[in-house]
Amino acid sequence: FCLMAVPGKVAAFRLPPLPTIGEIIKLFRLKAQKQLSQNFLLDLRLTDKIVRQAGELKNAHVCEVGPGPGGITRSILSAGVEQLLLIEKDARFIPGLQMLSEAAPGKVRIVHGDILTYKMEKAFPKHLKKNWEDEPPDIHIIGNLPFSVSTPLIIKWLANVSKKDGPFIYGRTQMTLTFQKEVAERLTANPGGKQRSRLSIMSQHLCTVENCFVIPGEAFVPKPEVDVAVVHFTPLVQPKIQQPFELVEKVVRSVFQFRRKYCFRGIETLFPESGRLKRTEQLMMTANVDPTLRPCQLSMSHFRNLCNTYRKMCDEDPGLFVYDYRDELKQKKKTRNLLKSTSQPEQTEEANQL
């Protein structure tokens, strides 16, 4: 219910008495499914803490990803949001979420769907749109993500940040999400750190990424084998690498392909076998990158130089960007197997004659 005290004052919102999250789990016979890597967070003090990391939510529009039994949902509603969009893939959770929706009339919209395919361009009112250079809009994405979906989803959203589409058509929409502790460490790792990876570069070149706090595994039901970290993302006004997302991702993925070797070994895979060595040397020399550095030692400016130089090389040779090292390896293997199979009958014939 909504307590309207003095006309003209902002209404204070409080949820009416509801069954606890544990009771809702029992009521609807909900069980976390291992294949969907589901883990429930029942402690409302922790869900409140996650929601506080998102910033000021009073009168904000929020999208919660994978609300499950609705622990974080309650904390978001208690923060006084204007509208809450819930996107839940698992139909078993919908009745419990509808109970919350009825307790907060007019505030909650439930979508039974997959966040990986859901179109967020029309998820929020148009009047909330802000220019990219302005402060972030009054829109937030919050979610306790299943481990299986967290990495592909953040890569998808980083691509959206780069293109200013999806949830970022409204401006620099902020995100507060949970990840396995190790993934969170990769997202925020500095040059030279053991966890420095493709995720570190892709996220940090587009966003300010903050590892907020760690939730021990025992706070979840069922208890995962790892701890969980809460990470906050704010898109940058200017990306650190001014190149298309696909090009940056290709260069970064190639560099980290052989993460334990010198970086030139991964960079080689950007080029076809014929002329590979010469072009790798040309790229590294122009980008001023020491070929004996390990991938995790490369700074953001190293990656910027590599991407800018690789872009020039692609402009000079339009077929270069579509080259795929793995496709070349598959083709070689196919050819070898073909040669093997065609030479096999002859060998058998020789053996028969002998």
Side-chain angles (χ1 to χ4, degrees):
F1 55 88
C2 216
L3 300 176
M4 297 293 288
V6 185
K9 293 257 176 136
V10 175
F13 181 81
R14 281 191 184 86
L15 283 168
L18 285 164
T20 65
I21 299 298
E23 285 165 351
I24 281 196
I25 289 169
K26 280 179 190 166
L27 180 66
F28 295 106
R29 294 177 183 174
L30 301 171
K31 199 177 177 187
Q33 294 195 351
K34 203 172 181 183
Q35 66 267 33
L36 297 176
S37 60
Q38 291 173 341
N39 302 95
F40 304 148
L41 190 54
L42 308 185
D43 187 337
L44 291 181
R45 288 169 303 175
L46 284 171
T47 60
D48 285 347
K49 194 176 177 186
I50 291 171
V51 170
R52 280 199 297 273
Q53 299 304 319
E56 180 53 65
L57 294 186
K58 201 164 190 65
N59 302 325
H61 287 246
V62 176
C63 170
E64 187 190 352
V65 183
I72 293 177
T73 315
R74 294 183 185 209
S75 296
I76 295 169
L77 287 168
S78 298
V81 297
E82 179 73 21
Q83 284 286 321
L84 175 56
L85 167 65
L86 303 175
I87 300 173
E88 179 53 67
K89 186 179 180 181
D90 192 333
R92 296 173 308 139
F93 296 121
I94 303 296
L97 296 172
Q98 278 168 341
M99 191 186 276
L100 270 175
S101 176
E102 286 158 18
K107 281 189 176 285
V108 180
R109 184 156 60 98
I110 302 166
V111 172
H112 177 213
D114 187 344
I115 188 63
L116 284 167
T117 54
Y118 181 72
K119 305 281 182 204
M120 290 194 73
E121 286 84 349
K122 293 175 183 174
F124 305 103
K126 283 182 184 174
H127 73 264
L128 295 170
K129 275 191 183 184
K130 287 206 175 180
N131 292 325
W132 196 258
E133 298 73 27
D134 295 343
E135 285 298 302
D138 226 357
I139 295 172
H140 296 261
I141 296 171
I142 299 174
N144 172 29
L145 305 176
F147 296 155
S148 59
V149 82
S150 60
T151 303
L153 185 56
I154 196 60
I155 288 291
K156 177 184 187 287
W157 277 338
L158 289 170
N160 290 145
V161 171
S162 175
K163 294 163 190 171
K164 299 176 186 170
D165 62 11
F168 307 97
I169 205 164
Y170 302 92
R172 295 185 298 120
T173 301
Q174 297 177 77
M175 303 183 283
T176 309
L177 307 166
T178 62
F179 295 89
Q180 268 179 267
K181 187 183 169 204
E182 192 182 309
V183 175
E185 285 168 354
R186 283 185 207 152
L187 286 161
T188 55
N190 293 319
K194 276 185 186 177
Q195 297 287 15
R196 186 79 161 171
S197 66
R198 175 177 74 119
L199 269 181
S200 319
I201 311 303
M202 297 311 295
S203 55
Q204 292 170 35
H205 109 82
L206 290 161
C207 299
T208 300
V209 191
E210 185 191 350
N211 194 337
C212 305
F213 67 96
V214 174
I215 305 172
E218 42 286 7
F220 293 86
V221 177
K223 180 193 165 192
E225 291 172 16
V226 292
D227 292 337
V228 171
V230 177
V231 183
H232 184 75
F233 300 81
T234 307
L236 294 164
V237 173
Q238 286 290 343
K240 290 179 183 168
I241 303 170
Q242 304 272 342
Q243 294 296 347
F245 183 85
E246 289 77 12
L247 184 139
V248 178
E249 193 186 28
K250 187 180 181 185
V251 171
V252 174
R253 192 175 60 238
S254 298
V255 170
F256 282 100
Q257 191 148 269
F258 302 100
R259 58 176 300 116
R260 295 176 193 278
K261 298 182 186 271
Y262 292 138
C263 65
F264 79 83
R265 180 68 191 90
I267 290 167
E268 278 184 327
T269 65
L270 287 167
F271 304 106
E273 196 171 24
S274 57
R276 178 173 286 158
L277 189 62
K278 189 181 175 187
R279 288 171 115 176
T280 304
E281 285 173 356
Q282 181 194 341
L283 171 57
M284 300 202 75
M285 203 177 289
T286 311
N288 195 23
V289 174
D290 179 349
T292 63
L293 287 173
R294 307 278 177 191
C296 65
Q297 293 175 303
L298 297 188
S299 66
M300 194 61 78
S301 59
H302 283 135
F303 279 102
R304 186 190 303 120
N305 293 348
L306 285 169
C307 291
N308 291 344
T309 308
Y310 179 66
R311 171 68 185 268
K312 282 178 189 165
M313 294 171 89
C314 289
D315 289 345
E316 288 162 14
D317 176 4
L320 181 58
F321 185 69
V322 295
Y323 165 73
D324 189 306
Y325 174 72
R326 289 183 181 192
D327 278 355
E328 189 177 68
L329 284 183
K330 279 180 198 167
Q331 203 54 49
K332 270 186 178 179
K333 195 177 177 183
K334 213 174 179 181
T335 309
R336 272 202 306 270
N337 289 342
L338 199 66
L339 287 169
K340 221 182 248 181
S341 63
T342 52
S343 63
Q344 205 72 40
E346 290 170 27
Q347 288 173 359
T348 313
E349 212 173 296
E350 280 176 36
N352 288 340
Q353 285 172 358
L354 283 167

